[in-house]
Amino acid sequence: MITACRPSRINIVPSIISGQSSRNLPRKIAENMSKRVLSIQSHVVHGYVGNKVATYPLQLLGFDVDPLNSVQFSNHTGYKTFKGPVSNEKELAAIFEGLEQNELLPLYTHLLTGYIGNPLFLRQVGVILKKLREANPSLVYVCDPVMGDNGELYVPKELLPIYRDEIIPLADIITPNQYEVELLTEKEVRSEEAVWEAMDWFHKRGIKTVVISSSDLGQPCVLRAFLSQQNGPRLAIDIPKQGGKDLVFTGTGDLFASLFLAHSHGRADVATAFEKTIASLQAVIKKTVAALPNGGAGPVKAAERELKLVASKTEIEKPEVLLKAQRLN
C-alpha cells in the first residue's frame, strides 16, 4: 500500500545521495538543480489572483513553485464580499523555519512577493530574503509592491514606508504599476520624462531592472508599459486596451510579475523577456474578454471577469509576440 505521508526509500535529492548538506553541493550539481520560486503572496479559493495566478504559468515555463500565502480568502476583494484570514508575521516565520530546518533554502533560485496586507509580515519578508541569500547568493528577488491602482490604496498605509525603506532596496527586479511608482517615489508620474526620473530613483537604490507594468501615458485606449535596466536599455510597449472602456481585470499585475520572472531568467536580452510577458498577458485577457457576455460591453460580474488562465495554456507556453518593444535610448 502506498501512503502519501510515508517517506520514500529512494531519494533523488543530490544532498541525500552524496550524504552532504545541500548547502555544500558541488557547483555543477547546484547549477543543474531545478529553478524553484518561493512565492509569497495572496491565495484565493475561487478565481485567479496572487499565488493562484502566478503558480500555473511559472510551472508551465519550467519552474517549481512553493506558494506561501499571505492571506487565504474565499475570492479576491473585488467581489461584493470576501472571507478568510490574514496571516501574521509569526505564522510566516514558523513556516519558513520548517523550510530552513530541513535545509531546503539552497534550492530556491527566486523569491517572488506580491500582495501582503500586514506591515509586520512584510518586514519579516526582509528577514527571509537575507536567509535565502545566505543559502544561495545568486538568488533573484522579484518584488511586485502591490499597494493600489488607479489612485486607490488597498493596503494599510503603514506598508508604504516599509516597502520604500526596507524592502525595495533589496530587490533585483521590481514591477509596480504607475500609481505604486507615485506612492514609492512620492512624485507624480504624468509624463514620460517623469517615468525615467522615477526609474532612476529606483536604480539609485540598487534595483537593476524596473518594469512599470501599466500606465495611462499612452494614446487613448492604449496603455503604455516601461522598462529600464541599470546601465542598459530603456524600453516601452504600447498595449491596446481590450473590452469595454470601463472593463477592469483583477490579477493581471500578479500574472505580469510571474511571467517576467520566468522570461527574464538566464536571458541577457531583456527586450525579449518584456515582449513575451506582454504577449502572454494580452492573450490571456483576449480569451477572458471573448468569454464575457457581449464581449464585456455591458455590466459584468466579478466572477465573469476571472482570468481564463487554464484556457491560455498554449499562449503561456509559446507566446506569440505581436507588440514589439521600442528602445528609447
Side-chain angles (χ1 to χ4, degrees), residues 235 263 267 269-277 321 324-325:
L235 307 170
H263 289 304
R267 187 188 299 275
D269 181 7
V270 72
T272 298
F274 194 26
E275 291 168 348
K276 287 189 172 184
T277 297
V321 174
K324 302 292 289 184

Side-chain angles (χ1 to χ4, degrees), residues 28-39:
K28 285 187 178 180
I29 294 177
E31 288 175 350
N32 290 328
M33 293 175 70
S34 297
K35 301 169 288 187
R36 183 174 293 273
V37 181
L38 180 62
S39 180

Side-chain angles (χ1 to χ4, degrees), residues 34-36 56-65 262:
S34 297
K35 301 169 288 187
R36 183 174 293 273
Y56 181 63
L58 283 167
Q59 290 171 330
L60 288 178
L61 294 170
F63 289 75
D64 287 310
V65 184

Side-chain angles (χ1 to χ4, degrees), residues 47-249:
Y48 290 102
V49 300
N51 273 329
K52 276 286 290 289
V53 80
T55 300
Y56 181 63
L58 283 167
Q59 290 171 330
L60 288 178
L61 294 170
F63 289 75
D64 287 310
V65 184
D66 291 348
L68 204 169
N69 301 327
S70 60
V71 305
Q72 179 157 300
F73 289 162
S74 55
N75 43 265
H76 69 68
T77 58
Y79 284 72
K80 62 181 180 181
T81 188
F82 64 94
K83 302 290 183 179
V86 177
S87 298
N88 62 45
E89 70 283 359
K90 292 180 181 179
E91 293 165 336
L92 173 61
I95 293 171
F96 187 78
E97 184 180 14
L99 299 174
E100 185 176 20
Q101 290 180 354
N102 285 302
E103 298 185 332
L104 298 173
L105 304 195
L107 301 180
Y108 292 107
T109 57
H110 294 77
L111 173 65
L112 171 63
T113 60
Y115 178 86
I116 292 170
N118 179 330
L120 295 179
F121 187 106
L122 179 60
R123 184 164 277 143
Q124 186 66 27
V125 168
V127 176
I128 285 173
L129 177 58
K130 180 180 178 181
K131 291 184 177 182
L132 287 171
R133 281 187 168 149
E134 287 174 353
N136 178 8
S138 63
L139 177 129
V140 174
Y141 175 31
V142 179
C143 176
D144 183 11
V146 180
M147 291 183 286
D149 201 2
N150 298 316
E152 179 185 358
L153 186 70
Y154 43 66
V155 297
K157 62 182 180 181
E158 290 80 10
L159 270 75
L160 180 54
I162 299 173
Y163 267 122
R164 183 190 298 122
D165 302 329
E166 300 177 35
I167 302 300
I168 296 299
L170 301 175
D172 298 290
I173 299 170
I174 184 171
T175 62
N177 60 36
Q178 182 179 356
Y179 178 58
E180 290 159 348
V181 171
E182 293 179 334
L183 288 173
L184 290 166
T185 63
E186 300 180 286
K187 294 182 179 180
E188 287 192 344
V189 177
R190 294 290 182 266
S191 67
E192 290 207 13
E193 181 181 2
V195 166
W196 304 121
E197 289 176 359
M199 297 290 203
D200 288 337
W201 185 93
F202 289 108
H203 290 321
K204 288 175 182 177
R205 283 153 180 80
I207 302 166
K208 182 179 179 182
T209 305
V210 184
V211 191
I212 299 179
S213 56
S214 65
S215 78
D216 60 9
L217 299 177
Q219 299 298 317
C221 299
V222 176
L223 299 173
R224 193 159 165 84
F226 298 92
L227 182 150
S228 177
Q229 196 164 48
Q230 197 167 36
N231 302 317
R234 288 185 163 182
L235 307 170
I237 296 180
D238 289 324
I239 309 168
K241 293 182 181 179
Q242 301 188 60
K245 66 176 183 178
D246 296 322
L247 190 60
V248 177
F249 298 100

